[in-house]
Every structure is written in C-alpha cells, then in structure tokens.
Amino acid sequence: MNKGIKIMKLTSLHFLRALGAIFIVVSHSHGVIRKRFETLGFDAHFWQIEQGYTKVFGAIGVDLFLVLSGFFAFYTTWNRKQVAFDFLKKRLIRIYPIWWVGLICLLVLSIVPGASAQYSGYQVINSFLLNPIYIDGDIKPILEIGWTLHYIVFYYLAITFLIYMKLKSLDILKVLTALFACLSILGVLIDTTVPIVEVVTNSRTLAFALGGWLAFLVIEKPTKWTAWYTSLILLVSSSLILTFVFVPEWRLNAPTILSRSSIACLIILLFVFHPTLRALKFHKIFNLCGDASYSIYLFHMFPLMIASGLWKRGILLPPSFLPPFMTWFILIFLGVLSGVIAYQLFEKPIFTYLRNKFIKKS
C-alpha cells in the first residue's frame, strides 16, 4: 500500500472523527434545552420535542464512530504480523484510562452539594469495567454516554481472539461478519434480559463489520472514482437521511444497520474515494477536534449537565435578549471546548505515557 495515499485518506477520515463528535454535541445540546424549555421560556415547538432533524445529528455521529472504529482496526493492521495481546493492549489503553477520568469527574460532581445523582457500588464498579448492566431500565454505565463502549470493547475482544487463532485479515473480517450477523439474528429470535447477551446480539455490531469491509475496499480494491459514483452516494444517503428525519417509525424501529450505519458508511465511502474530499486540507481546528474526538464524546456532557442543573434551579438563565439558537450554539461550543481541554490535560499525556511504557514500537 502506498504510504502517501494512506496518510491522505486517514487525514480525510480524521475530519469525520471531528464531525462525528460535533454532531453528537449538537444533538445532546438540543436535548438539554428541550428538557428545560419551560424554565428557559423557549416556547417555540422546535425546542419542546425531539426533532428528527436534530436527532439525525446524534445518530450519524454515533455511527460514524462505530464504523470508523471498524475501519481503523483493519486499515492499520491489514495483513501485518499481529500479536493478539499487543493488539488488545493498544486498544484498551486508548479506551479505559480516559474513560476512568470521566467517571471520576462524574463521581466528584455527584457529591457536590445540591447534586441529585446517587450511584451504588455495584453500578460504579461495573461502569469502571465497562461491564454491561441495567441502570434505570437501560443498559448503560453511570456516565451514560459510554454505552457505545460496551460494543467497542466486545468488538476488540472478538478481533483479538481471531488474531490469536492465526487468521489472516480477510479471514478475520469474514468470520467477524458472519459472527455478528448470526448473533444479530439470534437477538431477534430470543427474548433476554441479560445485559451482556443483549449487547452481543444487537445488530449494532454490524457497523464494525461495515467499517472493516470499507478498509478492505480501500486496500484491496482501489476504485477509479467517477461523478456517477458521487451522484449515486448522494442520492442514496440523502434518501436515507430524509427517511430517518421524517418517518418516525423508521427512525425508532428500523435496524440500525439500515437506518443509521448505512448513512455513516456512505459518508465515509465518499471521503475515502472522492479525489477532492480525500485530498482536502482541513482547518487545524478540525484536526484538533479529530485528535480530541474521543474526549469530546466523553466530556461534552459535563457542561451540559451543569447548565441543566443550574437552569433547573433558575440560576444563570440566558438573558431574554439572547436568541434561543445562540444559547444552543453556546452549549455546543462549551461541549466541544470541554472535550478539547480534557484531551490536552488528560487523554493526550496519559496515552502518550502508557504507549511509550507498554507498546512495542513496530
């Protein structure tokens, strides 16, 4: 594989990491305003109920993360000699340490006078381990945004096992796809309340397989891009987005592989193969947000939670002359900023230290 092409394509997808994180902040910021619209005095319909055209931001953002996780796990290791434990170790030191920092921040916030959240030792321990459990009727950790990490950890464990079995990259991808497809079918056929079973039989795992097959296309099946491909992808992705926005039944009940992951997959496909998009030089702000995307994902909720708690008590309400959309923008800015700060203060130095200490240089 040409090294220059690899760097260029990864750069374009780095932008999508930033975009995915920002999309999630956009959706959750709207959710906070929707929760406090009466206190804020925002009487427009847009601020009072969940809108399909705001929900789509969060949906695409989450699935961009999942599909990109599948893509990079294969793209960066394709047909390279792998030691299973080294593969897993590299991924776990990327996921867990900054996750633990986020949990500690949440626990500190929960003991501030006036805070309403209370967590049991059982909930805290399982959240630190990212072991799926039910909390308030949903499978999630105490820092709720971390629910996707249950799937990501399962994905990495599955790949690690297949690497240990000495399979080549394409064989790993085939087995993984078949495994996730069978588990997804099983999830439809059985009715279970065992959290770990619900996670591994959720069709959302197929998003990782989609990302793996995208990596296969980039590496093994390079395609000469034409305007016809662009038109087709724009037509299909636009149709899927409009269906997601305006057809609640589809948005709420369709399998995620069709309603959300397919949109993310088409967006990535466009940025991977389209010559102009692939070669674009993105502003350094997007490069920074791409680096900080995981921290933005984890830490953007803290300013939103604080704002929601203050507004509930009638504190620091936006002035009446400030348009609601400006309040929304400020929340989005604070959410992204908190993630960037967390990246600079915690994620970057912690990961650098652990990588240098525990990861062998190849």
Side-chain angles (χ1 to χ4, degrees), residues 316-338:
L316 291 181
L317 294 173
S320 57
F321 63 81
L322 192 70
F325 273 94
M326 185 57 67
T327 300
W328 191 17
F329 174 80
I330 291 172
L331 283 182
I332 294 168
F333 174 78
L334 291 175
V336 173
L337 180 63
S338 67

Side-chain angles (χ1 to χ4, degrees), residues 108-122:
V108 170
L109 199 61
S110 70
I111 63 175
V112 172
S116 58
Q118 292 184 334
Y119 308 111
S120 69
Y122 172 79

Side-chain angles (χ1 to χ4, degrees), residues 279-353:
L280 274 179
K281 302 295 183 182
F282 298 99
H283 193 278
K284 60 184 180 181
I285 290 178
F286 286 106
N287 291 331
L288 177 59
C289 288
D291 289 336
S293 58
Y294 182 37
S295 287
I296 293 172
Y297 179 72
L298 293 181
F299 285 86
H300 77 275
M301 290 303 298
F302 288 103
L304 303 190
M305 287 189 290
I306 292 170
S308 179
L310 292 174
W311 290 345
K312 179 181 179 181
R313 295 161 177 80
I315 302 172
L316 291 181
L317 294 173
S320 57
F321 63 81
L322 192 70
F325 273 94
M326 185 57 67
T327 300
W328 191 17
F329 174 80
I330 291 172
L331 283 182
I332 294 168
F333 174 78
L334 291 175
V336 173
L337 180 63
S338 67
V340 171
I341 292 173
Y343 169 74
Q344 297 287 5
L345 289 181
F346 305 118
E347 182 184 359
K348 184 178 179 180
I350 291 173
F351 178 73
T352 300
Y353 170 78

Side-chain angles (χ1 to χ4, degrees), residues 210-232:
L210 274 180
W213 285 110
L214 280 176
F216 167 77
L217 287 177
V218 173
I219 297 167
E220 301 287 354
K221 305 289 182 182
T223 303
K224 184 177 180 181
W225 198 257
T226 67
W228 187 86
Y229 291 147
T230 302
S231 300
L232 180 62

Side-chain angles (χ1 to χ4, degrees), residues 93-161:
I93 68 170
R94 172 67 76 180
I95 293 172
Y96 274 95
I98 189 63
W99 167 246
W100 292 334
V101 173
L103 287 178
I104 291 169
C105 291
L106 180 67
L107 292 173
V108 170
L109 199 61
S110 70
I111 63 175
V112 172
S116 58
Q118 292 184 334
Y119 308 111
S120 69
Y122 172 79
Q123 292 172 336
V124 171
I125 291 171
N126 281 283
S127 294
F128 268 86
L129 296 174
L130 284 174
N131 181 48
I133 59 169
Y134 280 104
I135 297 179
D136 298 330
D138 295 315
I139 298 174
K140 60 188 179 183
I142 58 173
L143 183 55
E144 296 182 17
I145 194 67
W147 66 268
T148 56
L149 300 181
H150 293 145
Y151 297 92
I152 292 175
V153 170
F154 169 57
Y155 170 61
Y156 288 148
L157 288 173
I159 292 183
T160 300
F161 175 75

Side-chain angles (χ1 to χ4, degrees), residues 149-209:
L149 300 181
H150 293 145
Y151 297 92
I152 292 175
V153 170
F154 169 57
Y155 170 61
Y156 288 148
L157 288 173
I159 292 183
T160 300
F161 175 75
L162 295 175
I163 292 174
Y164 178 77
M165 298 299 292
K166 307 297 184 183
L167 298 181
K168 293 184 178 180
S169 294
L170 182 56
D171 294 327
I172 290 175
L173 183 54
K174 289 177 180 178
V175 172
L176 209 62
T177 304
L179 172 66
F180 290 165
C182 290
L183 287 172
S184 298
I185 294 171
L186 183 63
V188 175
L189 298 177
I190 65 172
D191 185 16
T192 179
T193 56
V194 180
I196 186 64
V197 175
E198 289 202 47
V199 168
V200 302
T201 59
N202 192 303
S203 63
R204 192 177 298 278
T205 57
L206 289 168
F208 301 114

